[in-house]
Amino acid sequence: MTTPEPDQDSAPRAPFTLVIVGGHYDIGRTFRLDEGSYVIGRTEGADIRLDTPTVGRRHARITVERGRVSIEDLSSPCGLTMNDMRINAAELSPGACVWVGRVLLKLVRAEAPAAQTS
C-alpha cells in the first residue's frame, strides 16, 4: 500500500513581502502579503498605502491565492509597468519588480519563521 503524497495546494507556504526598491518614496519599506487581496493606493483606506502623487487613490490590486501572486491595474492614470512595458495585469514571481506610478516594488518570498527547539 502506498502513502499518498501531500496535496501541493494545501501545503503551507511562506507569505510574500513587497519591498519598495526604487523611486523617491520610502525605499526599503516592506509590506507583508498573506493570502488575500490588497488595494495599493494613496488614500487612507488603501491596504498598501503609498502616499505620493504618482500613485492613484486606488491604483492597483495585488492578490495572493494558493501560493501565487498577481497584480492588476485599477484604471489608474499612471498605470503599472514591468520590463519597460505598461501592463493591465500580470502574475508575479519572487524577484519580479513592478512600477506603481513612480514607486518600484519588488516581490520577495518572506522568510518562514524558524522552528523553535528546546
Side-chain angles (χ1 to χ4, degrees):
M1 182 175 205
T2 60
T3 305
E5 297 211 17
D7 180 0
Q8 292 297 322
D9 289 335
S10 66
R13 292 180 175 87
F16 295 92
T17 300
L18 274 181
V19 182
I20 298 176
V21 294
H24 297 287
Y25 180 78
D26 269 352
I27 292 179
R29 186 172 171 201
T30 61
F31 304 91
R32 182 185 169 109
L33 301 175
D34 293 307
E35 292 278 321
S37 184
Y38 305 85
V39 171
I40 300 170
R42 73 171 187 267
T43 63
E44 288 189 32
D47 301 303
I48 298 172
R49 187 168 185 224
L50 304 174
D51 190 15
T52 180
T54 64
V55 173
R57 289 184 294 270
R58 290 179 46 86
H59 197 108
R61 176 177 293 115
I62 192 159
T63 303
V64 180
E65 184 175 22
R66 302 179 99 174
R68 300 180 103 153
V69 181
S70 60
I71 192 166
E72 66 179 302
D73 186 22
L74 297 177
S75 301
S76 62
C78 293
L80 301 173
T81 305
M82 279 182 72
N83 301 324
D84 296 323
M85 294 178 55
R86 181 125 181 206
I87 61 167
N88 291 320
E91 188 167 318
L92 303 177
S93 299
C97 292
V98 63
W99 285 96
V100 175
R102 293 196 172 242
V103 178
L104 183 60
L105 301 174
K106 181 176 184 177
L107 180 73
V108 297
R109 190 170 291 280
E111 294 295 320
Q116 293 192 356
T117 58
S118 32

